Amino acid sequence: MRTTPTAAGAVLCVAMLLGACGTSERDAAEPTPAAATASASPTPAEPTAEPEPVVAPLGSPDNPATPGVDTVPLGAQGAPVYQVALSPADFAAGDVVTGYFDGNEPAPAGSSYVLLPVSATYVGTGAEPAHAWLDLGITFVAADGRTFEPSMALVPGDLSVTPELTTGESAQGSVPFVVPDDALTGGTWRVENQYVGSGGETVHFTAV
């Protein structure tokens, strides 16, 4: 029997549909291949070492020396000239100052006399003797930046009457100041080598 084109086409369509269904069933039954292996994780970086903190030199504004504890060099053009040490100051020295000499007037209202003990050892090698009371310029620097120079009052053991020094000799004496009461705490002492041509090197101490 001869198959008509219409019947043949119908048979072909049924066969194609059956084939497609079989393929879908196989696809559903077969597991999906695993995804490609993920790329390897990057190697963790070596921990970076923390840099060592930079400590300012002792006696600098950022690292002032401590009175009664530290002795610091004070140089001229890079060469040591003095070894300077301060002792804790007397921030209520009014009775000492006014009682020592009749010509010492009381500190103005709202201010106080301060006595600063100073020790300076001359370590320079100059041919001429040194004079600590001339070479060392000492200033009180308040926490708010105000500065105060030494008073003209005469005081016991005044640094200004210490003798001249040769290499290795020391001078000890006190330096008087008049400081406003609102500036007595939190300040620093600034010691400058003010000898002509010295370069003006300075060291700093906490004001205690």
Side-chain angles (χ1 to χ4, degrees):
M1 179 177 65
R2 181 177 298 174
T3 305
T4 64
T6 300
V11 171
L12 179 59
C13 288
V14 171
M16 291 177 64
L17 288 172
L18 291 174
C21 292
T23 301
S24 298
E25 291 173 356
R26 286 196 304 271
D27 290 345
E30 293 177 1
T32 302
T37 304
S39 59
S41 300
T43 303
E46 292 292 329
T48 303
E50 292 293 331
E52 292 293 328
V54 177
V55 179
L58 182 65
S60 64
D62 293 330
N63 186 22
T66 302
V69 176
D70 298 316
T71 298
V72 293
L74 180 62
Q77 300 175 355
V81 175
Y82 284 96
Q83 294 285 343
V84 178
L86 305 183
S87 295
D90 180 355
F91 285 90
D95 290 344
V96 175
V97 174
T98 57
Y100 178 72
F101 178 61
D102 290 342
N104 291 338
E105 297 182 354
S111 298
S112 297
Y113 274 113
V114 178
L115 278 181
L116 175 67
V118 178
S119 176
T121 300
Y122 180 61
V123 294
T125 57
E128 298 295 325
H131 300 83
W133 65 277
L134 284 176
D135 296 343
L136 304 181
I138 303 175
T139 303
F140 179 80
V141 183
D144 60 9
R146 288 176 291 170
T147 58
F148 302 91
E149 302 301 324
S151 164
M152 297 299 293
L154 298 178
V155 296
D158 201 312
L159 185 67
S160 66
V161 297
T162 54
E164 62 185 23
L165 305 174
T166 58
T167 302
E169 293 183 330
S170 301
Q172 290 86 30
S174 294
V175 181
F177 293 82
V178 175
V179 178
D181 293 337
D182 65 357
L184 291 174
T185 59
T188 57
W189 299 108
R190 183 177 67 208
V191 184
E192 179 182 4
N193 184 354
Q194 60 185 13
Y195 184 76
V196 176
S198 69
E201 295 187 19
T202 60
V203 292
H204 301 259
F205 289 78
T206 55
V208 297

